[in-house]
Amino acid sequence: MNASAKPERTRLSAEDWEDAALRLIADQGVGALAVEALARQLGVTKGSFYWHFRTREALLQAALERWEQYGEKEVISQIEAMPDPRARLPELFRRVAHEIAPHRVYAALLKALDHPQVVPVMARVSQRRMEFLTTIYSEAGLSPEEALNRARLTYAAYVGFLQLNFTLGLPRISHDEFDAYVEHMIRTLTPA
Amino acid sequence: MNASAKPERTRLSAEDWEDAALRLIADQGVGALAVEALARQLGVTKGSFYWHFRTREALLQAALERWEQYGEKEVISQIEAMPDPRARLPELFRRVAHEIAPHRVYAALLKALDHPQVVPVMARVSQRRMEFLTTIYSEAGLSPEEALNRARLTYAAYVGFLQLNFTLGLPRISHDEFDAYVEHMIRTLTPA
DNA sequence: TCGATACCATACGCACGAGTATGGATGGCA
DNA sequence: TGCCATCCATACTCGTGCGTATGGTATCGA
């Protein structure tokens, strides 16, 4: 089939393995993270892997930390830079809705919450994002309690959407219909 | 530790294995469904299992079908029996929010969407529930498109909530705070 | 040019879980 | 009472994937 899609003849670094691991996680899940499979995909063998990492668990850990680092930083800062607080929410929703790629790892990790290694990472990331949402809702005029609950609701809707659409393949929604859904969501979740 | 918590000295039936499988799935996930582990938990050995089922896959299939059968039937019919359409949504939300046990299997299955066997089951169940929500929203006064989108949003919020709270253990929300969250959700998702 | 270090291949051992073979126990029914 | 079907135990095989041991090749500085 593909076998050697990457004829990279340079030597590999630990970062290369971490990136490959994240790609594999994104489209096959954490459970599919096997060292021999990864090695095959990179055109090398296990011998290479165990030079860079002590164990499979160590690779997962490194990949997760790498993902947590180079995460959503840009999106958050760009939204925060917007002058009008009321305009931030619709913009955030539309951006998130149309950039699918960055969310694929998050979606895969959501299905791996039985793995003890992913729990703390996901807890930190989700916590940070919800705090961000809470401050945005506050700045949009909600009281502290209302802002917190609305952030919880919004984030839950985001997480649920990921599950129901990319992992489960519910009756493939069309593009236009999806846009309509996003706008409906903006209307109902944004303070009047 | 526990080893033989169930001193059931009667012979086992296929249904016994299916129920045990569902219990195990509920609190350890689909990945933990191993025949020797299940046998140990039931106080027997593999020999028993392979008399009732041809394979592990067959057990999973049977357990999933069993779960799909004896599912949420009662809740739906009870809600439908309520005379006032506007009162149905708050009641549904409160019921679902306070009955955690029945949702544990669903939450576990949500994390197993890479398993080909669980996808069709989850697709059917989720589809039915969303259709139910859609009709409720219609009866509460929303237009067909609005009702459908609101149902999608509500169900996504439900699914996301399951992930963020029982599987991920986000900053343990208190009981009162949880009730406040549910009421907030009712206010924002129920048509005025 | 010549090691030394970094990177990789090959060939193992080993644990674990699915599935098979076969014989033993138990209960209902003639 | 004896027989047959049902249910279960024991003891294997086998595939898979992690980790190890050890030797080979490339690259760079002295």
Side-chain angles (χ1 to χ4, degrees):
Chain A
M1 310 305 182
N2 45 7
S4 59
K6 304 251 172 194
E8 331 243 331
R9 279 293 130 246
T10 65
R11 321 283 273 283
L12 297 176
S13 68
E15 287 76 23
D16 293 327
W17 286 94
E18 295 168 10
D19 287 340
L22 287 175
R23 279 196 302 272
L24 202 154
I25 288 173
D27 48 63
Q28 296 193 238
V30 176
L33 186 61
V35 324
E36 308 203 41
L38 248 193
R40 207 167 19 248
Q41 185 175 318
L42 286 172
V44 292
T45 64
K46 309 168 53 160
S48 172
F49 177 83
Y50 285 99
W51 192 89
H52 295 285
F53 297 92
R54 232 173 48 77
T55 169
R56 185 204 108 117
E57 189 178 344
L59 170 66
L60 217 200
Q61 194 62 38
L64 290 175
E65 286 170 3
R66 185 176 183 78
W67 173 75
E68 190 180 357
Q69 285 283 337
Y70 302 87
E72 63 279 5
K73 299 271 163 46
E74 336 71 54
V75 180
I76 291 186
S77 59
Q78 287 179 6
I79 296 292
E80 275 176 337
M82 294 177 65
D84 180 14
R86 317 284 282 211
R88 290 175 188 168
L89 282 166
E91 178 61 18
L92 175 60
F93 287 5
R94 293 194 185 97
R95 297 261 315 243
V96 170
H98 295 306
E99 294 170 1
I100 45 252
H103 306 276
R104 299 187 59 221
V105 173
Y106 187 84
L109 261 36
L110 228 32
K111 299 189 300 185
L113 255 26
D114 24 19
H115 251 80
Q117 292 187 78
V118 320
V119 173
V121 178
M122 290 296 273
R124 283 192 298 269
V125 170
S126 302
Q127 188 63 31
R128 272 199 295 272
R129 291 177 175 182
M130 283 186 49
E131 285 168 1
F132 176 62
L133 272 176
T134 304
T135 65
I136 289 192
Y137 275 120
S138 281
E139 291 168 354
L142 264 52
S143 74
E145 301 82 29
E146 291 275 301
L148 178 55
N149 283 326
R150 186 65 62 88
R152 286 180 176 136
L153 178 57
T154 302
Y155 199 70
Y158 161 71
V159 168
F161 176 80
L162 290 184
Q163 293 285 308
L164 294 175
N165 284 270
F166 309 175
T167 39
L168 189 60
L170 277 197
R172 271 294 171 248
I173 194 171
S174 79
H175 200 77
D176 290 346
E177 207 176 0
F178 175 66
D179 287 341
Y181 171 70
V182 174
E183 295 306 320
H184 175 90
M185 185 172 128
I186 291 174
R187 281 196 303 278
T188 58
L189 293 180
T190 291
Chain B
M1 307 308 184
N2 45 9
S4 59
K6 305 251 173 194
E8 332 242 332
R9 278 292 131 246
T10 66
R11 319 283 273 280
L12 296 176
S13 69
E15 287 77 22
D16 292 328
W17 285 94
E18 296 167 10
D19 286 340
L22 287 175
R23 278 197 300 272
L24 201 154
I25 288 173
D27 49 64
Q28 297 194 239
V30 176
L33 185 60
V35 325
E36 308 203 36
L38 248 193
R40 209 167 16 248
Q41 185 173 318
L42 286 171
V44 292
T45 65
K46 307 168 57 157
S48 170
F49 177 83
Y50 285 99
W51 193 89
H52 297 284
F53 298 91
R54 232 174 50 76
T55 169
R56 185 204 108 117
E57 189 177 344
L59 169 67
L60 217 199
Q61 195 62 39
L64 290 174
E65 287 169 2
R66 186 176 182 77
W67 174 75
E68 190 179 357
Q69 284 283 336
Y70 303 86
E72 63 278 5
K73 297 274 162 46
E74 337 71 55
V75 180
I76 291 186
S77 59
Q78 287 180 5
I79 294 292
E80 275 174 338
M82 294 179 65
D84 181 13
R86 317 284 282 214
R88 290 175 188 168
L89 282 165
E91 178 62 17
L92 176 60
F93 287 4
R94 294 194 185 98
R95 297 262 315 242
V96 170
H98 294 306
E99 293 169 1
I100 44 252
H103 306 279
R104 299 186 59 219
V105 172
Y106 186 85
L109 261 36
L110 228 31
K111 298 189 301 184
L113 255 24
D114 25 19
H115 252 81
Q117 292 187 81
V118 320
V119 173
V121 177
M122 289 296 273
R124 283 192 299 270
V125 170
S126 301
Q127 189 63 31
R128 272 199 296 271
R129 291 177 175 184
M130 282 187 49
E131 285 167 0
F132 176 63
L133 271 176
T134 305
T135 65
I136 289 192
Y137 275 122
S138 281
E139 291 168 354
L142 264 52
S143 74
E145 302 81 29
E146 291 274 301
L148 178 55
N149 282 327
R150 187 64 63 87
R152 285 180 176 135
L153 177 57
T154 302
Y155 199 70
Y158 162 71
V159 168
F161 176 79
L162 289 183
Q163 293 285 310
L164 294 175
N165 284 271
F166 305 182
T167 40
L168 188 59
L170 278 198
R172 272 294 173 246
I173 193 170
S174 80
H175 200 76
D176 290 346
E177 208 177 359
F178 175 67
D179 286 342
Y181 171 70
V182 173
E183 296 305 319
H184 176 90
M185 184 173 131
I186 291 173
R187 282 195 303 277
T188 64
L189 294 180
T190 292

